[in-house]
Amino acid sequence: MKNFALIGAAGYIAPRHMKAIKETGNTLVAALDKYDGIGIMDSHFPDAHFFTEFERFDRFIDKFHRDSDQRIEYIAIASPNYLHDSHIRFALKSGAHAICEKPLVLNPHNIDQLKVIEEETGKKVYTILQLRLHDSIIALKEKIAKELTENPNKVYDIDLTYLTSRGRWYFMSWKGDVAKSGGIASNIGVHFFDMLSWIFGPVEENIVHIKQPDTNAGYLKLKNARVRWFLSVNYDYIPDEIKATGSRTYRNITVDNDTFEFSEGFTDLHTISYKHILEGYGFGLDDARHSIEIVSAIRKLEPIGLNGTYHPFCEKVGNA
């Protein structure tokens, strides 16, 4: 049984980390969040120590091994995106491995600095890249790899469309602040960019067509793919037939006009991620680099409007 701590216990994704810690046979010793309505902890680790102030949490982590002759071996991080880098550093310097939610950090230079701290501390940084563990996506990667063995110069045409509706609260929270979330591409798209570059190779061209607070869209040329992508939290852009079902989310990926279906199979991916990490096979800093480079570049690029090769949903924004 390994001892875990959790930074960011009140957010949407935190219960998946609690569940993963429990289902892998480990224990949550302490958790931190400035919000104190964490009733969900009763379902997982009611005896865990809880802190709303970082300073007291820091002191507890430091004292724990002195008082109990045990260590906090892993610190899971599900805090706001802009704090990931700082909280990873804290974990490593506290003698623990870090398990961090996506996006791992906001900029590639943060990865370079964390590699230095890994060397100094002898501890590892792991990131949650759960789409790489999805059965359908693994099957797609194997299919594409086989086809590229037969035809290494093949270039696929891909459309990535992801809409996940958010209310007005979103733009009043840290998620609506580009400096804190990294913007739409970082906050809701980074794992898709990771998956695509993992399967189709590194980026050769990166163009942004639309960059608005609720919507990003652009074009990526990967080594073996041309990708038109559209990401939004605006309900208005969801297709009418999807709205008619009552759904507020639309996820679609086409590969050479064939729809790639992967709507199911997400329930246990955090637990599977934790199993991989505990077995020594987790995804580290270098695994996260390509996707962080992509979203960091998107953040800095100027949108060119509806010119060139753009996603068809861009016209919805133009007509809004």
Side-chain angles (χ1 to χ4, degrees), residues 206-211 216-219 229 297-299 301-305:
N206 192 343
I207 295 170
V208 174
H209 294 110
I210 294 173
K211 189 186 293 182
N216 283 184
Y219 170 82
W229 58 271
I298 288 169
R299 199 177 310 124
L301 287 168
E302 289 295 325
I304 67 170

Side-chain angles (χ1 to χ4, degrees), residues 113-298:
Q113 294 164 4
L114 290 174
K115 286 177 76 74
V116 173
I117 302 174
E118 275 191 333
E119 290 290 330
E120 291 174 348
T121 61
K123 298 301 177 181
K124 292 284 293 180
V125 180
Y126 298 100
T127 186
I128 302 294
L129 299 176
Q130 70 267 40
L131 290 187
R132 296 195 188 194
L133 301 174
H134 193 291
D135 288 341
S136 296
I137 292 169
I138 292 171
L140 176 64
K141 181 175 173 61
E142 291 172 350
K143 173 180 179 290
I144 298 299
K146 181 179 178 182
E147 293 175 358
L148 290 177
T149 299
E150 298 168 356
N151 181 6
N153 296 320
K154 181 173 175 60
V155 179
Y156 297 82
D157 287 304
I158 296 172
D159 279 0
L160 162 64
T161 314
Y162 182 50
L163 298 99
T164 178
S165 306
R166 296 291 184 265
R168 294 181 180 179
W169 68 268
Y170 182 93
F171 302 98
M172 298 303 294
S173 75
W174 63 267
K175 295 184 179 184
D177 184 340
V178 172
K180 294 182 176 181
S181 70
I184 293 292
S186 294
N187 205 41
I188 70 169
V190 67
H191 51 309
F192 291 112
F193 293 130
D194 171 74
M195 180 261 285
L196 291 172
S197 60
W198 182 55
I199 295 174
F200 296 99
V203 174
E204 295 179 352
E205 187 178 15
N206 192 343
I207 295 170
V208 174
H209 294 110
I210 294 173
K211 189 186 293 182
Q212 297 183 359
D214 63 3
T215 304
N216 283 184
Y219 170 82
L220 282 175
K221 172 62 175 70
L222 304 178
K223 180 182 179 182
N224 293 108
R226 292 177 289 259
V227 182
R228 302 187 300 182
W229 58 271
F230 185 94
L231 305 167
S232 182
V233 294
N234 190 327
Y235 175 76
D236 292 341
Y237 303 147
I238 291 179
D240 290 339
E241 62 271 21
I242 303 301
K243 291 179 181 176
T245 68
S247 178
R248 295 179 58 84
T249 298
Y250 176 68
R251 180 194 297 114
N252 184 259
I253 294 178
T254 61
V255 180
D256 286 347
N257 294 318
D258 290 331
T259 297
F260 170 60
E261 177 57 48
F262 66 113
S263 298
E264 305 299 327
F266 283 89
T267 308
D268 298 318
L269 290 182
H270 274 72
T271 298
I272 295 171
S273 296
Y274 269 64
K275 286 180 180 177
H276 276 243
I277 290 167
L278 291 164
E279 292 168 359
Y281 301 111
F283 300 116
L285 293 173
D286 289 333
D287 295 299
R289 185 179 294 275
H290 282 310
S291 59
I292 300 302
E293 288 175 343
I294 291 170
V295 295
S296 179
I298 288 169

